[in-house]
Amino acid sequence: MLLSTEANLWPEGYDKITLETVDSTMAEAARLAPSLRGPTWIIARTQTAAKGRQGRPWKNPEGNFAATLLMRPEGTAADAALRSFFAANALYETLSLYTDRTRLAVKWPNDVLMNGGKIAGILLESAGQGTGVAWLSIGIGVNLVATPDVADAMFPPISLASAGGPAPDPEEFLEALAVNFATEEAIYAKLGFAPIRESWLAKAARLGEVITARTPREEVTGVFETIDAQGTLILKTPKGLRPIPAADVYF
């Protein structure tokens, strides 16, 4: 059911679709991708089959935020993947409107923490041939009013409301997030990834501290040194600097 495509505050050049219920905004983005005309945010009040990274279920109680940005970025698949950092920076700035920014941190590769708990997650999916990208979807979930019950989570979920902060309506949150994301895109178009990388590192959880990166093959423990120009995690280990292109991070 389509509710509205109007907004009081909205970045130029971006469309918006608001749904009452959908299986997942990521699935809806994949269905709409063949007819994509321009970057489009898809927001749903409820999702019935939302998923996170590696197909894990994503719990989305009513009142929490669930949206996907569908776009057709220029450049390679590696360039498109950098947008997880755009989204993290935009989420951090948006959440800081509702809570003290010193309580927030970004966690590589695609989470936002508040008081050490997970308040938001980011998921990227794309399609294309060779090194190009036909379309990219950036799924974002934020715990605004409810804290999902997730057993044995390394980073227990937390919500704005549970931490005593004001919980905005998801539509209001999207307006601010869309503006902040468009700002990241504008920075990238003019100056490249370097300033986005620097901004992300300034917000990064456990930078300069020992963390563990877990891949399907191994665990690598070392000092979180930096991320490189491709967004790869760089750990300082007893055997030297170790690049980690993809992993789950624990600390």
Side-chain angles (χ1 to χ4, degrees):
M1 174 182 176
L2 185 64
L3 295 180
S4 172
T5 56
E6 298 296 323
N8 295 323
L9 174 67
W10 198 251
E12 184 177 357
Y14 287 74
D15 292 328
K16 183 178 76 162
I17 297 171
T18 303
L19 303 170
E20 182 67 51
T21 303
V22 73
D23 49 356
S24 81
T25 57
M26 293 293 278
E28 182 69 6
R31 289 188 288 266
L32 294 176
S35 59
L36 175 66
R37 294 184 178 181
T40 302
W41 283 96
I42 304 163
I43 182 172
R45 295 198 177 277
T46 60
Q47 295 184 109
T48 59
K51 292 183 179 181
R53 290 184 68 236
Q54 300 178 358
R56 298 167 183 148
W58 177 270
K59 297 185 179 181
N60 183 230
E62 188 172 354
N64 282 355
F65 179 85
T68 294
L69 173 60
L70 174 64
M71 62 189 305
R72 186 173 287 120
E74 296 181 356
T76 66
D79 295 330
L82 295 176
R83 283 167 173 81
S84 63
F85 299 96
F86 298 24
N89 283 344
L91 269 172
Y92 182 101
E93 295 302 328
T94 305
L95 285 164
S96 71
L97 298 173
Y98 305 99
T99 189
D100 189 328
R101 65 196 301 118
T102 62
R103 303 167 72 184
L104 300 169
V106 294
K107 173 181 167 288
W108 189 91
N110 52 12
D111 294 333
V112 180
L113 307 179
M114 184 172 72
N115 296 344
K118 183 172 177 177
I119 191 169
I122 302 162
L123 176 65
L124 269 62
E125 293 182 352
S126 64
Q129 293 182 344
T131 60
V133 176
W135 56 265
L136 171 72
S137 59
I138 307 168
I140 296 175
V142 185
N143 301 327
L144 297 178
V145 301
T147 304
D149 182 15
V150 180
D152 301 323
M154 179 66 68
F155 300 91
I158 188 173
S159 67
L160 275 174
S162 69
D169 179 83
E171 291 269 359
E172 174 191 327
F173 189 87
L174 177 58
E175 288 183 353
L177 177 62
V179 169
N180 284 323
F181 187 91
T183 298
E184 295 288 311
E185 279 285 347
I187 291 170
Y188 181 68
K190 187 172 184 178
L191 301 172
F193 183 59
I196 292 171
R197 172 182 172 271
E198 291 173 6
S199 177
W200 187 93
L201 284 168
K203 306 174 179 73
R206 300 299 178 96
L207 184 66
E209 300 181 24
V210 174
I211 63 174
T212 296
R214 183 180 298 165
T215 75
R217 293 183 177 182
E218 61 179 341
E219 286 190 359
V220 181
T221 298
V223 175
F224 178 9
E225 190 81 359
T226 190
I227 60 170
D228 67 13
Q230 290 73 47
T232 299
L233 176 68
I234 306 296
L235 296 184
K236 185 177 181 181
T237 74
K239 296 182 179 180
L241 296 180
R242 176 73 183 275
I244 308 288
D248 287 326
V249 165
Y250 300 90
F251 43 77

